Amino acid sequence: MDGVAVGVCGTDKEIVAGDYGWAPPGEDRLILGHESLGRVREAPQGSGFAAGDLVVGVVRRPDPEPCGACAHGEFDMCRNGRYTERGIKERHGYASQAWTVESEYAVRLDPGLESVGMLLEPTTVVAKAWEQVERVGGRAWFEPRRALVTGAGPLGLLARCWRAARPGRPRTRPGEPGAEAGPGRGARRDVPQRGHRRGDLALRPDVVIEATGAGSLVFASMAGTATYGVVCLTGVSPAGRKLSVDAGSINRDLVLENDVVVGSVNANLRHYHQGAEALAKADRAWLERMITRRVPLERAAEAFTPRDDDIKVAITLT
Amino acid sequence: MDGVAVGVCGTDKEIVAGDYGWAPPGEDRLILGHESLGRVREAPQGSGFAAGDLVVGVVRRPDPEPCGACAHGEFDMCRNGRYTERGIKERHGYASQAWTVESEYAVRLDPGLESVGMLLEPTTVVAKAWEQVERVGGRAWFEPRRALVTGAGPLGLLARCWRAARPGRPRTRPGEPGAEAGPGRGARRDVPQRGHRRGDLALRPDVVIEATGAGSLVFASMAGTATYGVVCLTGVSPAGRKLSVDAGSINRDLVLENDVVVGSVNANLRHYHQGAEALAKADRAWLERMITRRVPLERAAEAFTPRDDDIKVAITLT
C-alpha cells in the first residue's frame, strides 16, 4: 500500500504525550496512525483488491485466542482486553509511506474520496454509536424525534453528517443546538465548555450523542433527556476531573424515565462498510472543510501542536 | 374484591410525607396501596376469574389518548407522563377492605401465596429490571458470569430470588457480595452506606442491579463493572444529594468498556405474569421472612414509622 494520509486525533496526542499506547512486543517504538488512507500498490489475486484502489485499514484485531465477543466477530466489544490496534496497541500504525494490511481488514473507498478518506475511521466510531442508540432504544417502542449532538470536533460533526445521510432517523431541527449545518471557521465555538449547566439542555432531546467527554456535559446529558432518553457517550476524557453532581437527581431521573446511558468505542467491520457508503454519499465540500490542516510527513510534529481553528489535522504521506 | 393486604414501600412514604402522589381529579385525598393482594368476591362471567381467586391488581394504566409506547401496550415506558397509577397518581389505591379492578388488569396468583402475594408488585419491578439487562446486554454477544445486587431491601432480595429462579442466567457465587441466601435478622446489614467506595466493587461484575438509590453506590457501579458491563438502576433517590465524583474516570470507563447504565421503573403486564410464575415457584418460607411486620388496617399509621429490622411491612385488610 502507498500511504496517502493519516488523520490525527486525541488518542494520537495521548500516545505522543506518553499517556497511552503500547509498542509491539519487544520493540521500543510504535509507528502512529490509525485513521488511515492508502492506495493499493499490489494486491494478491483473489483478494478483491486491485492496484490503484483507495483503501482504509481497520484498526483493531482480535486476539488469536479470542474472547466470546471476538469469536463472534465483535472485536469492538472485546471482553478480555487482549485485542491489538494498529497505531495504538502492540501493532504499528499506518503513518508510513508504505504499509501492508490483510485484505480482510482492508475497506475499499469510493475513488473520489482521496482527499478526505482518512475521515472513515472516525466515521466508523459514529456509525457504531448510532447503531448502539438504535439497538438500546429498540428494547421497547422507539421513535425518537429530537437528537442532540454535543461537540463540534470531528466526531460531533460526523455524527450530524451521519444523521443527515440516514433518512427516517431523528433529525436535529434548524435553530436548535446541534443543528449547525457543518464545519468551517467558528464551528469550534459550538464546543460546550466545562461550565455547561443542566438547564442548557432544556430542549429535552430523545437522543444525545455526547462527543466532548466533558464531565459536566456528560452528566447534564444523563439528567437532561426526554423520557426513555438514550445518551451515547463517545468522548474519551482523562481521569481525575472531579465534579460535584446532584447524584440523587441524576439517579432518580434515569430510573423514573427508563433512560439509558451507553458508552461506545471503536468499531466493527460492518461499521467500516457502513461508513464507506455514507462518506461516498456525503457532501464532498463539507468533508473537505473538516480537514483544516494538512501537514507533510517531514513536518509531522506540527500536527500535534493544536491551533484554535483545528477540526481535523491530517498528515500527508505522499 | 375483598382486600387481603397491601405492601408499603418508599413511594408510599413519599406520598404520606406530601413529597409525591396525586389525588384523583377533583378529590382531596388519595387512597394508598399499590402493592396489592385481594380475593375475588364476585367476577363477571367470561372474565376468567372466579370467586375465591387470589388476585393482584396492576398499578399503572395508560392514558385514554396513549403515547406511542402506551399504544403498543408498553405503559411502563410511557413517554408523555399522562399515565395514571393506582395508589400513586390520580387513581385510588388498593388499601381498602373492598376494591374493584378491571379483569384485564388483574393477575391471578397461586392459591398458596395468600400470606406473601403482596410481594408480586415489587417482584414485577425486578422482572422488568432483569429483562432490561438482557435486552440491553443482548445488543451484542452477552454471556454474563457475575452479577451483583446492591441493597438488601425487598427489591434487592427479590432480585436475587429472581436470579435463582431463572437458571441459565448469571448467578452470584457463594462468598461474593450479593450471594446472601435470603432475608432474616441482619439482612439489612448488607445495605451499602453512603460512604461506599469504588474499590469495594473490586469483583468487577458483568451485571449490577442497583437497588439502593444511594448516589455513591450508583456511581461506583457505573465505574466498577467489567467490560461491556450493564448497570440497571432501580432505586428511587431524593433529589438534592450532592456528591463529588471523578467525572473524567466515569465517562472514560463507560466509553472504553462499552458499558451501559439503564434506568428501570414500574412494570408491564408481562412482568406481572412472569412475577406470578416466579413467586409460585419460590421458597415460601424465604418469602415469608421478607414480611417483617404485618399491621392491621386500623393501626396502619404504624406501618409508616420505620424500624431497624424492617424489610417489607404489610398492612392487613381482613
Side-chain angles (χ1 to χ4, degrees), chain A residues 74 76 79 128 132 135 139 141 219 235 237 239-241 243 245-249 251-252 258-259 261 263, chain B residues 74 76 78-79 128 132 135 139 141 219 235 237 239-241 243 245-249 251-252 258-259 261 263:
Chain A
E74 296 172 337
D76 57 318
R79 303 304 151 84
K128 175 175 169 182
Q132 295 301 296
R135 290 191 176 186
R139 76 194 187 285
W141 181 83
F219 288 101
S237 47
R241 290 192 175 169
L243 192 71
V245 299
D246 184 342
S249 279
N251 175 68
R252 186 182 185 91
N258 291 292
D259 288 338
V261 181
Chain B
E74 296 172 337
D76 57 317
C78 178
R79 302 307 150 83
K128 175 175 169 181
Q132 296 300 297
R135 291 191 175 185
R139 74 194 188 284
W141 181 83
F219 288 102
S237 46
R241 290 193 176 167
L243 192 71
V245 299
D246 184 343
S249 280
N251 175 67
R252 187 183 184 92
N258 292 293
D259 288 338
V261 182

Side-chain angles (χ1 to χ4, degrees), chain B residues 257-279:
Chain B
E257 293 194 345
N258 292 293
D259 288 338
V260 167
V261 182
V262 53
S264 182
V265 70
N266 195 255
N268 204 297
L269 260 175
R270 69 177 174 278
H271 306 120
Y272 278 81
H273 291 293
Q274 290 165 5
E277 204 181 315
L279 280 191

Side-chain angles (χ1 to χ4, degrees), chain B residues 78-99:
Chain B
C78 178
R79 302 307 150 83
N80 60 20
R82 290 206 306 266
Y83 59 83
T84 51
E85 287 176 338
R86 300 272 314 239
I88 302 174
K89 186 166 181 276
E90 300 167 13
R91 279 180 192 262
H92 286 308
Y94 298 106
S96 309
Q97 286 164 303
W99 45 267

Side-chain angles (χ1 to χ4, degrees), chain A residues 14 19-20 60 67-69 72 74 76-81 83 128 131-132 135-137 139-143 210 212-216 218-219 222 227-228 233-252 254-266 270, chain B residues 14 19-20 60 67-69 72 74 76-81 83 128 131-132 135-137 139-143 210 212-216 218-219 222 227-228 233-252 254-266 270:
Chain A
E14 283 198 3
D19 293 335
Y20 200 71
R60 195 175 278 194
C67 71
H72 286 74
E74 296 172 337
D76 57 318
M77 297 293 198
C78 178
R79 303 304 151 84
N80 60 21
Y83 60 82
K128 175 175 169 182
E131 181 200 74
Q132 295 301 296
R135 290 191 176 186
V136 164
R139 76 194 187 285
W141 181 83
F142 189 50
E143 289 186 10
E210 205 302 296
T212 71
S216 58
V218 166
F219 288 101
M222 287 186 189
T227 303
Y228 199 79
L233 304 176
T234 65
V236 180
S237 47
R241 290 192 175 169
K242 290 277 182 182
L243 192 71
S244 173
V245 299
D246 184 342
S249 279
I250 291 172
N251 175 68
R252 186 182 185 91
L254 290 170
V255 173
L256 293 183
E257 293 194 344
N258 291 292
D259 288 338
V260 167
V261 181
V262 52
S264 182
V265 70
N266 196 256
R270 70 177 174 278
Chain B
E14 284 197 3
D19 293 336
Y20 200 71
R60 196 175 278 194
C67 71
H72 285 74
E74 296 172 337
D76 57 317
M77 297 294 198
C78 178
R79 302 307 150 83
N80 60 20
Y83 59 83
K128 175 175 169 181
E131 181 199 75
Q132 296 300 297
R135 291 191 175 185
V136 164
R139 74 194 188 284
W141 181 83
F142 188 50
E143 290 187 8
E210 206 300 297
T212 71
S216 58
V218 166
F219 288 102
M222 288 187 188
T227 304
Y228 199 78
L233 304 176
T234 66
V236 180
S237 46
R241 290 193 176 167
K242 290 276 182 181
L243 192 71
S244 173
V245 299
D246 184 343
S249 280
I250 291 171
N251 175 67
R252 187 183 184 92
L254 291 170
V255 173
L256 293 183
E257 293 194 345
N258 292 293
D259 288 338
V260 167
V261 182
V262 53
S264 182
V265 70
N266 195 255
R270 69 177 174 278

Side-chain angles (χ1 to χ4, degrees), chain B residues 173-199:
Chain B
R173 294 181 199 169
E176 282 174 357
E180 190 72 11
R185 285 206 167 263
R188 293 287 296 184
R189 285 181 211 134
D190 280 4
V191 180
Q193 300 306 310
R194 297 197 61 192
H196 199 97
R197 283 164 304 120
R198 176 180 172 170

